[in-house]
Amino acid sequence: MTDITRYQYRPIVEGDGIRLLELEPNSDFGATIQCSLIHTTLKEYDEDLINHYTALSYVWGDAKVTKSIMVEGFGVDITINLDSALRYMRDTSRKRLIWADAICINQSDDEEKNNQVRQMGKVYRCATHTIIFLGEPTANTNFILKELQFSQTWKSIEMSEDLPWNDILTRAWFQRVWVYQELIFSLDPWVQCGHLRVRWEVLYRNIENLKASNQHVEPWKAILQMGSGRKRLVSDVGRRGNASFSELLISTLEARRGQGVFDPRDMLFAHTSILSVAAASPEIQALTNVDYKKTCAEVYVDIVKHMLLSSRAPSPSYGIFSYAEAAVERTTVDRELQIPSWAPNWMQKTPPYPYRRLRQAVELAQVRLGYNSKNVFHHEHPKPHQLWLGPSSSMILVTGLIVGTLRQVSQVITSTRANMKFPPDGTTASSWTKDDEDVGGKVYTARNTISNNWVDILLPVMTLRRSDIAMAIISTFGRQDLLPGEDGLDGFSHRSTRRQLFMLNRGSDNILRHLFLHAITDASDDKLYPHFLYGRKFAALEDGRLALVPGSAQPGDSICYFFGDSTVPFLLRPRPRPADPNITASADYAVRQSMILKHSPDFRHFEFVGECIIDGLITSSPTRANLAKVLGIHKTQEKVFIIH
């Protein structure tokens, strides 16, 4: 078919215009696909009570491996995945109207692509049905879908966790970024593999019923996130202001980060229909406007700019920087795309559960303690500022303080070490009774089991002997924490007492104390006490004080507080002053023009590394008094950080 004349697209002239594919019937599964393209509008089909179309949601696959179909007698090359989807959707006797992006959008016309992507949410919302095509069938997928069809008829039937679910859940569709908004806006989505199909709600309901032991495990995690996002979608976010939009933006990007995209800009553009609304502010409309003329760096920087600018009153929130720590190291892809170190790379997956942002843990503790340290510098230090410098705003200028430098770092804390629990099986409530003659021995075992789990990794950073480190850990929680209470139940393993114990101590400023709290809490306590040790390192400052730092931390990195939001300090890596003198000159001019500092500014150039916490200042405010008391810093000097 290589000699067949290629199809020539006619332009779409209406503002809400679309093309629909009219698929010709054929009883021969292997016959060449024959179809035509109809020009119409979304308004026409939204108001039509008789005619309707089906939207297709699928994974493109390898764009270099194609097959040809016939469109009005002319050839169009499509991927093997789309060819397969159309064959399984093709009826034996009736024509079908289908919207499939690769055919219905002229892929060689960037302006048309921009316009069509902006209204893609409406395309799926106007479709009577959506087919989520997962690909070719297997014996396992046929078995699962038939079981689901049976459960759809008999709703009391409960599906077993032992069924071969992975043959469904590991399909590429669940890992692609574009399909999320297609699912969100579909009125009646169906999941299809081969010829068999079942409604999305039936699949999701059965997966949700089995989520207890699988909610943090791939591939279950992906479908649970997608299903919960579909259930909680709020379509009137624009009427609730920029704050609500910002929350929706970050929660959407965080839930979908690391999903497959051919173009990194699509991490934002693929969600524009979810994020943008007619009533949104001009700033939000500008951010969510699909524009493939922008570079990837410009798109990712614009997200950070919006988050900072929308949180300025009464002082900025630097929470967006916490998401830039997701990768252990900056990759060559980051550098090739020229993504600044302080801008989250949404193509990179977040480390797996139980990884948690430090800011999340600190904010939860501060809520219980009744204060928020975000504004602690508001009265003690100059007004916070951020300025963007360089081509495409590739540098950000922030004011703050340097409070310490890393002298030594440990190995990365593994999930095995971070997830160590005592008691391992949680069954000691009945065996640790008030009259137990061996309760003292059990308390001794508990304290030593927890301390022994951490001694080896702490040895490089604590200038103490092994036995002294063990004693330092043990001394952070007392024997009374583990002994049975007056009711005869064990204070350590009894559910209600355990919760009360860690609730009283989760605001502790002692890092070693949190080793104990991690050991006695489980997944059911996660919303009250998120586990934050996994994936990070212990570090020693120059004075020997302990800190918890990102997994990519190195000796020589600096711990800094940014003016305006001191919820958590950040780790920055010093870098040489740029060879281009214009960078420093422009920074000096910008600082003086905005009157950030009255005196001559002290410029420091850095790369962003991530969040950290310092022993003694986890939830306590870094006021001048606390900095002097904990770190011995009696005189602070404002710095200007130029972060690349």
Side-chain angles (χ1 to χ4, degrees):
M1 300 182 69
T2 55
D3 296 331
I4 295 177
T5 305
R6 314 318 291 172
Y7 181 80
Q8 299 297 314
Y9 282 89
R10 291 187 292 112
I12 295 175
V13 294
E14 296 89 349
D16 67 339
I18 60 170
R19 300 184 187 92
L20 292 177
L21 182 151
E22 188 176 55
L23 183 61
E24 297 291 334
N26 202 311
S27 58
D28 180 3
F29 182 81
T32 300
I33 292 173
Q34 303 277 351
C35 59
S36 56
L37 285 177
I38 299 172
H39 282 241
T40 184
T41 64
L42 288 170
K43 183 177 185 296
E44 180 178 339
Y45 272 84
D46 190 36
E47 297 175 352
D48 197 319
L49 301 182
I50 299 176
N51 294 317
H52 65 268
Y53 66 91
T54 298
L56 176 61
S57 178
Y58 70 106
V59 174
W60 273 43
D62 190 346
K64 297 178 181 178
V65 183
T66 62
K67 288 188 176 182
S68 285
I69 64 171
M70 301 303 295
V71 179
E72 301 170 12
F74 298 96
V76 172
D77 292 332
I78 61 174
T79 64
I80 290 177
N81 287 1
L82 179 53
D83 179 86
S84 177
L86 293 177
R87 290 181 187 279
Y88 282 109
M89 292 177 68
R90 182 167 55 182
D91 194 77
T92 58
S93 59
R94 296 172 298 175
K95 294 181 179 182
R96 291 195 66 171
L97 280 179
I98 298 170
W99 188 89
D101 58 355
I103 302 174
C104 296
I105 300 175
N106 183 359
Q107 300 298 321
S108 62
D109 186 339
D110 286 343
E111 188 63 30
E112 179 180 307
K113 280 203 303 183
N114 287 348
N115 293 332
Q116 291 291 298
V117 167
R118 292 187 190 108
Q119 64 180 16
M120 196 171 291
K122 296 178 182 178
V123 170
Y124 283 88
R125 195 158 45 219
C126 286
T128 305
H129 309 287
T130 296
I131 293 295
I132 297 169
F133 185 72
L134 300 184
E136 297 288 338
T138 66
N140 282 340
T141 61
N142 285 339
F143 178 75
I144 288 283
L145 291 176
K146 287 178 181 178
E147 289 290 305
L148 287 171
Q149 289 175 343
F150 185 72
S151 74
Q152 183 174 349
T153 303
W154 303 93
K155 292 188 166 104
S156 60
I157 300 295
E158 290 189 5
M159 305 285 281
S160 169
E161 186 178 345
D162 297 328
L163 294 176
W165 291 105
N166 278 6
D167 273 37
I168 295 284
L169 303 183
T170 56
R171 294 295 177 117
W173 184 88
F174 293 99
Q175 301 301 322
R176 301 300 295 176
V177 70
W178 276 102
V179 302
Y180 185 54
Q181 73 170 2
E182 297 166 6
L183 171 67
I184 291 291
F185 288 108
S186 294
L187 297 180
D188 183 29
W190 290 70
V191 178
Q192 180 169 337
C193 209
H195 282 113
L196 294 176
R197 69 176 71 101
V198 67
R199 276 193 162 92
W200 164 269
E201 271 69 24
V202 175
L203 172 62
Y204 177 70
R205 184 180 68 240
N206 280 276
I207 293 295
E208 193 175 33
N209 290 339
L210 301 170
K211 75 178 182 180
S213 59
N214 301 296
Q215 59 183 323
H216 299 300
V217 181
E218 297 291 0
W220 296 71
K221 180 180 176 181
I223 187 174
L224 288 168
Q225 286 179 335
M226 296 173 79
S228 62
R230 174 176 164 81
K231 289 171 65 175
R232 69 171 180 266
L233 176 67
V234 180
S235 60
D236 64 344
V237 65
R239 292 199 295 269
R240 300 195 298 147
N242 287 6
S244 296
F245 168 80
S246 299
E247 293 168 4
L248 179 60
L249 171 65
I250 291 303
S251 63
T252 301
L253 290 173
E254 176 68 358
R256 302 298 293 162
R257 74 180 301 168
Q259 302 299 314
V261 288
F262 292 113
D263 189 324
R265 294 169 294 186
D266 287 341
M267 287 306 301
L268 176 64
F269 294 162
H271 300 118
T272 53
S273 292
I274 300 173
L275 298 170
S276 60
V277 289
S281 67
E283 293 78 16
I284 291 177
Q285 291 180 356
L287 176 65
T288 57
N289 182 46
V290 177
D291 184 1
Y292 284 101
K293 295 178 182 178
K294 285 184 177 180
T295 66
C296 175
E298 288 174 328
V299 172
Y300 286 15
V301 165
D302 283 348
I303 294 172
V304 179
K305 279 186 176 181
H306 170 80
M307 296 303 297
L308 292 177
L309 293 174
S310 64
S311 66
R312 275 189 166 177
S315 64
S317 169
Y318 291 122
I320 183 63
F321 291 144
S322 298
Y323 296 92
E325 186 189 317
V328 174
E329 294 284 357
R330 291 192 71 203
T331 65
T332 54
V333 173
D334 288 1
R335 301 184 188 279
E336 288 173 0
L337 296 174
Q338 298 181 326
I339 300 173
S341 64
W342 45 269
N345 182 351
W346 301 106
M347 293 189 299
Q348 294 177 333
K349 280 186 175 291
T350 302
Y353 179 84
Y355 179 88
R356 286 291 185 270
R357 291 179 296 114
L358 290 176
R359 186 184 187 91
Q360 178 186 10
V362 171
E363 286 178 339
L364 278 173
Q366 290 180 348
V367 167
R368 177 190 167 273
L369 296 172
Y371 74 93
N372 188 333
S373 67
K374 176 179 176 292
N375 302 324
V376 69
F377 286 155
H378 186 66
H379 298 293
E380 290 195 355
H381 296 280
K383 182 181 178 181
H385 278 260
Q386 316 94 37
L387 294 173
W388 288 272
L389 306 169
S392 303
S393 301
S394 58
M395 293 172 286
I396 186 171
L397 184 150
V398 185
T399 54
L401 301 174
I402 298 177
V403 297
T405 301
L406 304 192
R407 174 181 54 81
Q408 186 60 271
V409 297
S410 72
Q411 296 296 312
V412 175
I413 300 170
T414 64
S415 60
T416 301
R417 194 184 300 275
N419 289 336
M420 191 282 295
K421 302 297 176 187
F422 194 91
D425 56 6
T427 59
T428 60
S430 59
S431 61
W432 287 30
T433 61
K434 187 174 183 180
D435 300 325
D436 190 343
E437 295 180 357
D438 191 33
V439 69
K442 291 179 178 178
V443 169
Y444 177 85
T445 301
R447 298 173 77 187
N448 279 277
T449 299
I450 296 172
S451 63
N452 289 340
N453 182 60
W454 296 101
V455 168
D456 288 339
I457 197 171
L458 285 166
L459 272 173
V461 296
M462 296 183 70
T463 55
L464 297 171
R465 295 177 301 179
R466 178 184 295 270
S467 59
D468 293 334
I469 295 175
M471 184 55 65
I473 298 172
I474 290 173
S475 63
T476 63
F477 55 96
R479 191 169 180 272
Q480 67 277 6
D481 293 333
L482 307 178
L483 287 174
E486 291 300 321
D487 57 2
L489 292 173
D490 167 39
F492 181 66
S493 61
H494 183 48
R495 170 75 178 159
S496 61
T497 312
R498 282 175 57 239
R499 172 162 292 199
Q500 182 182 23
L501 178 63
F502 85 78
M503 283 292 288
L504 290 172
N505 288 280
R506 68 177 185 174
S508 173
D509 282 327
N510 188 321
I511 288 178
L512 297 183
R513 176 75 174 180
H514 286 276
L515 308 185
F516 167 60
L517 295 175
H518 272 63
I520 68 168
T521 55
D522 53 35
S524 61
D525 303 317
D526 189 63
K527 291 184 179 179
L528 295 172
Y529 181 76
H531 291 189
F532 55 81
L533 296 174
Y534 166 61
R536 295 186 165 89
K537 295 178 179 179
F538 295 111
L541 303 184
E542 291 172 317
D543 63 355
R545 181 166 293 276
L546 197 63
L548 188 69
V549 295
S552 58
Q554 300 174 4
D557 292 346
S558 299
I559 295 180
C560 310
Y561 280 104
F562 294 170
F563 291 160
D565 181 0
S566 59
T567 306
V568 291
F570 294 110
L571 196 68
L572 304 181
R573 180 160 300 149
R575 58 175 287 166
R577 296 174 72 89
D580 185 356
N582 291 328
I583 293 179
T584 302
S586 63
D588 181 79
Y589 176 78
V591 171
R592 294 182 185 281
Q593 287 294 107
S594 60
M595 299 181 65
I596 293 180
L597 299 175
K598 295 181 180 179
H599 56 77
S600 180
D602 182 5
F603 293 114
R604 302 288 180 91
H605 292 265
F606 294 94
E607 285 191 357
F608 184 84
V609 181
E611 305 171 297
C612 56
I613 53 177
I614 307 172
D615 193 50
L617 285 175
I618 298 177
T619 58
S620 295
S621 302
T623 59
R624 288 194 178 108
N626 281 339
L627 290 175
K629 178 182 177 181
V630 176
L631 301 178
I633 300 176
H634 298 281
K635 184 178 180 181
T636 58
Q637 181 181 358
E638 293 81 8
K639 307 291 183 184
V640 177
F641 308 127
I642 301 177
I643 311 175
H644 296 252

